[in-house]
Amino acid sequence: MESVDLSESNSLKMRQGEHIILRLTYISCYNTDNANGEVTRILEQAQQNNERNGITGALVFNHNYFLQSIEGARPVINGLLRKLVQDERHHSLQVIECHEVEQRHWNKWSMKYLIPSDENKGLALKFSTGNEFNPYLMSNNQIMMLIDTLSELQEQEEQRASQKKKPWYALG
């Protein structure tokens, strides 16, 4: 009896396209009328919701713009896009790309908060056009290269930090 229920559930999911993975990349402007701690709260809420909903992705924020690439089941991404359009914490949302993918690019983590710092500001500008970071002026290729590069740098930094932590019994 349970297998029939499970089979019906899987059949319903297949009819709704949950087996199809979409990648959605968008940019938007941060609403500066928000309180200072709002970005941290946005990130925490996104991490919890995305993990629960099977969404993976990368977020770049530089105090003016959001640049995000997310992946998940087609109906979940479509629902999230409807919410994002209504969200007053940002404005001028533009979809850069939305397409089906064979496999996730962002499968290592649910969401990262990648802030272009002073150290990698030149890197962000490398992929930008002009003197200031403005994702609205970037092509899809530039955006994806920036996100990939920042993500790789963060992963390398995390690996170095974890290697520096020695167990209490280590010598030297």
Side-chain angles (χ1 to χ4, degrees), residues 6-158:
L6 184 58
S7 175
E8 288 174 14
S9 174
N10 286 340
S11 177
L12 178 62
K13 286 182 179 181
M14 290 291 278
R15 284 192 304 246
Q16 293 177 348
E18 290 210 12
H19 64 291
I20 298 170
I21 303 298
L22 288 185
R23 177 179 305 132
L24 169 70
T25 303
Y26 72 91
I27 55 178
S28 63
C29 290
Y30 178 60
N31 183 351
T32 56
D33 293 337
N34 287 321
N36 290 338
E38 187 69 18
V39 174
T40 304
R41 200 167 28 163
I42 290 170
L43 176 64
E44 289 171 357
Q45 183 180 23
Q47 285 177 324
Q48 290 171 358
N49 292 342
N50 291 345
E51 188 173 332
R52 182 179 60 247
N53 293 317
I55 295 173
T56 55
L59 171 67
V60 177
F61 174 69
N62 82 332
H63 307 291
N64 294 316
Y65 304 104
F66 289 105
L67 169 53
Q68 187 169 24
S69 184
I70 52 177
E71 298 166 330
R74 183 168 58 191
V76 174
I77 295 296
N78 283 314
L80 180 57
L81 180 57
R82 284 190 293 276
K83 289 179 184 178
L84 287 168
V85 168
Q86 302 290 326
D87 193 334
E88 294 180 0
R89 297 175 291 190
H90 64 144
H91 60 86
S92 303
L93 185 140
Q94 290 185 14
V95 173
I96 302 303
E97 72 168 355
C98 185
H99 61 92
E100 293 177 13
V101 294
E102 293 295 321
Q103 62 183 19
R104 292 177 188 254
H105 185 75
W106 311 115
N107 62 354
K108 295 181 184 173
W109 25 269
S110 63
M111 186 67 66
K112 289 290 184 184
Y113 188 36
L114 304 172
I115 306 172
S117 65
D118 288 339
E119 293 174 2
N120 57 26
K121 185 177 181 181
L123 188 61
L125 293 177
K126 173 182 174 183
F127 298 108
S128 236
T129 53
N131 294 332
E132 293 187 23
F133 174 69
N134 182 344
Y136 288 94
L137 302 177
M138 298 169 69
S139 71
N140 181 45
N141 284 340
Q142 290 170 312
I143 286 171
M144 294 310 290
M145 286 189 302
L146 172 65
I147 295 173
D148 280 341
T149 303
L150 290 173
S151 177
E152 288 172 17
L153 288 173
Q154 183 174 5
E155 286 180 18
Q156 290 170 4
E157 187 177 301
E158 288 171 359

